[in-house]
Amino acid sequence: MGLFCNGFSLFLIACSMVVVASGSFYQDFDLTWGDHRAKIFNGGQLLSLSLDKVSGSGFQSKKEYLFGRIDMQLKLVAGNSAGTVTAYYLSSQGPTHDEIDFEFLGNLSGDPYILHTNVFTQGKGNREQQFYLWFDPTRNFHTYSIIWSHQHIIFLVDNFPIRVFKNAESIGVPFPKSQPMRIYSSLWNADDWATRGGVVKTDWTKAPFTAYYRNFKADACTWSYGKSSCGSRSSSSFSDRAWQTNALDAPSRRRLRWVQKYFMIYNYCADLKRFPQGLPPECRRSRF
């Protein structure tokens, strides 16, 4: 356990109130598939997933969460990663599941990764936004974060907000608020669609493909036996959490606009051809 204070005023509260779990991968995660292709090493401080022609690999959190902030540092597959997808997401289970997605779509050497984001509510997704990154995500570790509160879901990269999905239940849009979710990650072959719509296939002569993870942190409400570790929404242990703040501050809004102006390459809320009968209702609301 440790204290975590974020430099952005968006997330500032008294440090003593923000308790962050940052244990080891042995303690926090189970390797769920891929046999030897998923590994934990460096005393539990580093995890890797690999993909070869036989199989990919994946892991999931031991705990379930219902609201909070999740941070993970990733270093993505280097070189020719075309056809591969590294997925890192929160999800519940079942046909009406909720899900909050980061997916990193590989590309040919020298071409940028595409960061694909999506939000599923009650089993329905189709809320894709895609971005290029302003750095090479294969050279060093970078932090990818999800803030999930009753008011909104915020996607962040190196603490820059890139996307906000606001609670729009007041206009009939479902919002993830009642299904606890685990953290999942996987590295798998998706060369039927991942790179240029499936035109570019995975080059298996470059296998194995490997992604690395470190510095997992969760300032979040865990869920066990039908109860939240934070108590009710009105309790101080819930309402005083940093991620419960209601809005982006001015510097964060500027950073969000910068990312969306220069690095967003697809936004479902701007795809009039896809929605000829009218854009989804949440698209008509303020982004902030």
Side-chain angles (χ1 to χ4, degrees):
M1 304 291 286
L3 295 181
F4 179 69
C5 292
N6 195 300
F8 284 74
S9 55
L10 166 62
F11 309 119
L12 284 178
I13 63 170
C15 289
S16 60
M17 297 302 299
V18 189
V19 181
V20 174
S22 54
S24 75
F25 282 109
Y26 289 119
Q27 172 185 320
D28 295 320
F29 293 93
D30 292 319
L31 305 180
T32 49
W33 63 284
D35 298 323
H36 62 279
R37 297 171 187 85
K39 299 176 182 178
I40 298 173
F41 48 103
N42 278 18
Q45 299 306 302
L46 197 63
L47 186 152
S48 67
L49 295 181
S50 290
L51 163 70
D52 57 33
K53 199 167 187 177
V54 175
S55 178
S57 52
F59 64 87
Q60 70 180 46
S61 63
K62 295 179 184 289
K63 295 177 180 178
E64 292 182 297
Y65 302 92
L66 189 62
F67 304 113
R69 175 173 177 143
I70 305 296
D71 299 280
M72 184 83 79
Q73 290 192 332
L74 281 75
K75 184 163 70 169
L76 300 179
V77 174
N80 183 359
S81 58
T84 72
V85 172
T86 306
Y88 158 56
Y89 59 102
L90 288 163
S91 183
S92 59
Q93 297 297 310
T96 59
H97 75 291
D98 295 333
E99 189 171 321
I100 305 169
D101 287 346
F102 279 112
E103 289 188 314
F104 303 91
L105 312 185
N107 216 329
L108 294 168
S109 297
D111 289 342
Y113 264 82
I114 292 174
L115 172 52
H116 176 100
T117 67
N118 204 351
V119 176
F120 286 74
T121 59
Q122 299 181 8
K124 179 180 180 296
N126 299 324
R127 299 182 176 98
E128 302 91 347
Q129 290 184 359
Q130 295 184 337
F131 306 83
Y132 288 140
L133 294 167
W134 50 97
F135 52 82
D136 181 349
T138 71
R139 291 179 62 87
N140 297 294
F141 283 91
H142 293 270
T143 304
Y144 303 91
S145 308
I146 293 167
I147 294 175
W148 173 27
S149 74
H150 282 90
Q151 294 83 21
H152 51 223
I153 295 164
I154 304 175
F155 296 76
L156 302 103
V157 176
D158 287 343
N159 226 20
F160 275 53
I162 66 168
R163 176 178 185 176
V164 177
F165 181 79
K166 296 184 69 173
N167 186 330
E169 289 180 299
S170 62
I171 57 172
V173 180
F175 187 81
K177 67 176 185 180
S178 59
Q179 298 186 52
M181 297 196 250
R182 295 187 191 274
I183 303 163
Y184 296 88
S185 191
S186 58
L187 175 55
W188 50 291
N189 177 45
D191 66 2
D192 57 333
W193 65 271
T195 306
R196 300 182 189 175
V199 173
V200 181
K201 301 299 183 182
T202 304
D203 182 356
W204 294 111
T205 66
K206 302 293 192 295
F209 305 97
T210 304
Y212 296 91
Y213 303 74
R214 72 180 188 188
N215 290 349
F216 164 70
K217 294 185 178 71
D219 172 21
C221 302
T222 58
W223 186 264
S224 181
Y225 300 105
K227 293 184 178 180
S228 169
S229 63
C230 296
S232 68
R233 185 179 177 184
S234 60
S235 67
S236 60
S237 62
F238 191 98
S239 60
D240 288 340
R241 306 304 277 263
W243 40 263
Q244 273 295 97
T245 185
N246 194 41
L248 293 172
D249 63 9
S252 296
R253 291 197 300 272
R254 287 194 292 271
R255 291 179 176 93
L256 176 64
R257 285 193 292 266
W258 176 76
V259 171
Q260 294 192 342
K261 179 178 180 179
Y262 293 107
F263 299 97
M264 178 184 280
I265 58 172
Y266 177 79
N267 180 6
Y268 78 108
C269 280
D271 195 341
L272 297 174
K273 291 183 179 179
R274 183 178 176 186
F275 301 104
Q277 304 305 315
L279 294 172
E282 69 268 21
C283 296
R284 302 164 206 155
R285 304 193 74 184
S286 167
R287 290 177 298 169
F288 311 125

